[in-house]
Amino acid sequence: MKENIIKKINLEKLKSIFRERRTATKSELANISGLSVVTVNSLVKTLLADNEILEDKTIHPDLGRPATSYRFNETVRLALIIYMYEEKKQDIVCYSVCNLYGETIKAVKEINEISAACFEKNIQKLLTQYPNIKVIIFSIPGEEYNGKFLICDYSGLDTNFPAALRKKFGLDIYFENDINSALYGYCSRLSISNCVGIYMPSKYPPGSAIFFKGEIIKGKNNLAGEIKYLPCGINWDEFSYSKEEMEKFLLNTIKIYMCVYNPEQIVIYANINNTELQNKLNKLLKSNNEKLMLPEIIIKNNLKDDVSSGLIINALKKII
C-alpha cells in the first residue's frame, strides 16, 4: 500500500515536469525530480503504457550515447467547454475542445435556438470526433443544484436537463453560472483577490458573482449573486432594459456591494458608457466613508472571453 502511494506521488511529480517542460529525457527527469535513474526508468514505462507521454525523438549529444526524448501527451484527456452569450440580442452557443495545456483544438460557434436536442446532437458529434473528452463544462445563465436547474433563463432547457445529459453520455458534466465563470477567469488571469462581477444583458435579468481569495462564493444552494431578487421593486418580466433603467439598477447594486462587501474592483459586463456611470456614481457618494469604499469600476462590453478563460481553468483542474 505504501509503495503504491509513493509511486503515485512520483508519477505525479514526473507528469508535472512534463507539463512544464513538454519534453524531457530520462536523465533530465532524474536530475529535476531528484529520483534515481532506476526509479525514473520504471515510472517512464508506466507513463508510456498509460499514454501520458509519448516517445519524441532521439537526441545525439556531442559526447556520450544517444538518448530518447519523451514528450507530454497533451491530448490524452480533453475537455469540452460549452458557453452561451448574447450578441445583438441573439443567443450564441460556443463549443470548444481543449487539451491539457488549455489550448483550443476545435471550436464551433452556432446561432440558433437553445434546446436540449441541439446540445445532445452537437455533443455527440464532438465525442465521436474526440473520444478522449473526459469532462464537459457548461456556462449557463442560471444555477444548478443536485442535478436540477434552480434557475435557467433558457426556456428550451427544462429543470431536469443536467441529470438527463449526465445519464445520456455517462461523463462528468458540470454546470457553472455564466457570471461566476467570467469573474473566475478575469480574477485568476489578473491575480485579483477581492472582486465583484455584475452581468447586465439586454434581454435577460441580471446576475452577479463574488470572488474572494481564489474562489467564487456560491452560498448554501449555489444562489449567491442572484441580484434579480433584490428588493428594488422591479418586475423583470416587464423591465424595459432601457439605458436609463439599466443604469439606475446598476448604481443601486454597486452601492449595495460597496457597503456589504467592500471589493477592490467591480467588473460590469454590459453595453453601457463607463464615464457616464462613474459620474453618476460619484454624485451619489455623500460621505467620506462612501468615497473610501468606492472600488475601481471596470466596464466590459461582453463576457465571452472571460467565461471561456474561467471554464478552461476549471476544466484543467478536473482532468489534469
Side-chain angles (χ1 to χ4, degrees):
M1 179 67 72
K2 184 179 178 181
E3 289 180 358
N4 289 338
I5 293 173
I6 293 172
K7 183 177 181 179
K8 185 176 180 180
I9 292 170
N10 289 336
L11 283 170
E12 290 301 321
K13 185 181 292 186
L14 291 198
K15 284 194 283 185
S16 178
I17 293 170
F18 272 113
R19 281 196 298 272
E20 183 177 340
R21 292 175 58 93
R22 298 201 177 217
T23 64
T25 63
K26 290 178 180 177
S27 61
E28 288 172 335
L29 291 170
N31 289 334
I32 296 169
S33 67
L35 300 173
S36 71
V37 174
V38 173
T39 299
V40 167
N41 283 336
S42 174
L43 295 174
V44 165
K45 287 180 181 179
T46 300
L47 293 175
L48 284 168
D50 292 342
N51 211 28
E52 296 281 351
I53 62 173
L54 304 168
E55 285 194 10
D56 188 32
K57 59 185 178 182
T58 301
I59 298 174
H60 297 274
D62 294 335
L63 296 173
R65 292 182 297 177
T68 302
S69 175
Y70 302 90
R71 66 180 175 86
F72 182 58
N73 184 5
E74 70 273 19
T75 62
V76 66
R77 288 179 298 281
L78 301 172
L80 172 59
I81 67 170
I82 303 171
Y83 59 97
M84 294 135 269
Y85 63 92
E86 180 197 337
E87 187 171 87
K88 297 179 181 178
K89 298 197 174 182
Q90 286 186 309
D91 292 319
I92 298 175
V93 185
C94 292
Y95 300 81
S96 295
V97 179
C98 302
N99 64 24
L100 291 173
Y101 285 123
E103 300 164 338
T104 298
I105 59 177
K106 175 75 171 181
V108 178
K109 183 168 78 171
E110 289 194 345
I111 303 173
N112 57 16
E113 180 186 356
I114 292 175
S115 67
C118 286
F119 282 128
E120 289 176 7
K121 179 190 72 175
N122 289 322
I123 289 171
Q124 185 59 66
K125 188 184 299 183
L126 289 167
L127 287 176
T128 301
Q129 190 174 358
Y130 298 96
N132 283 355
I133 292 173
K134 303 301 181 185
V135 65
I136 301 174
I137 303 187
F138 279 82
S139 170
I140 59 161
E143 298 288 357
E144 183 223 7
Y145 184 69
N146 284 344
K148 294 184 177 182
F149 283 141
L150 296 178
I151 299 168
C152 184
D153 288 345
Y154 298 127
S155 58
L157 302 178
D158 67 30
T159 302
N160 295 313
F161 175 69
L165 205 65
R166 291 182 181 117
K167 183 178 180 180
K168 179 176 179 63
F169 293 109
L171 291 173
D172 290 330
I173 301 178
Y174 302 88
F175 292 83
E176 297 290 343
N177 175 268
D178 50 7
I179 180 61
N180 282 352
S181 297
L183 190 66
Y184 186 71
Y186 174 83
C187 292
S188 298
R189 190 175 69 252
L190 299 179
S191 299
I192 297 168
S193 64
N194 182 2
C195 188
V196 164
I198 301 173
Y199 179 34
M200 190 83 199
S202 59
K203 68 174 185 177
Y204 295 117
S208 71
I210 304 165
F211 184 91
F212 186 69
K213 293 185 177 179
E215 299 292 338
I216 293 291
I217 297 174
K218 294 187 176 182
K220 182 181 71 171
N221 304 114
N222 295 342
L223 290 173
E226 288 297 327
I227 54 176
K228 69 180 181 180
Y229 297 117
L230 287 173
C232 299
I234 295 175
N235 182 342
W236 291 105
D237 292 332
E238 300 175 0
F239 191 70
S240 68
Y241 293 95
S242 67
K243 172 188 169 184
E244 293 74 21
E245 289 301 311
M246 289 171 69
E247 283 187 347
K248 181 179 176 182
F249 175 79
L250 285 170
L251 289 169
N252 285 334
T253 305
I254 289 169
K255 286 207 68 179
I256 289 169
Y257 271 123
M258 283 171 54
C259 294
V260 301
Y261 190 59
N262 190 211
E264 301 169 36
Q265 286 188 3
I266 294 183
V267 184
I268 300 173
Y269 298 91
N271 189 20
I272 59 172
N273 184 284
N274 192 359
T275 303
E276 290 181 9
L277 188 74
Q278 289 272 12
N279 290 338
K280 291 178 180 179
L281 179 59
N282 288 332
K283 289 178 182 178
L284 293 175
L285 307 180
K286 305 300 184 183
S287 68
N288 289 332
N289 281 343
E290 286 176 287
K291 293 173 184 177
L292 186 64
M293 287 189 290
L294 181 65
E296 181 182 6
I297 305 294
I298 307 293
I299 306 292
K300 306 190 80 171
N301 290 333
N302 66 71
L303 77 169
K304 61 182 179 180
D305 292 338
D306 287 341
V307 165
S308 176
S309 176
L311 289 177
I312 289 173
I313 294 169
N314 204 344
L316 292 181
K317 287 183 176 181
K318 300 180 188 303
I319 63 172
I320 287 180

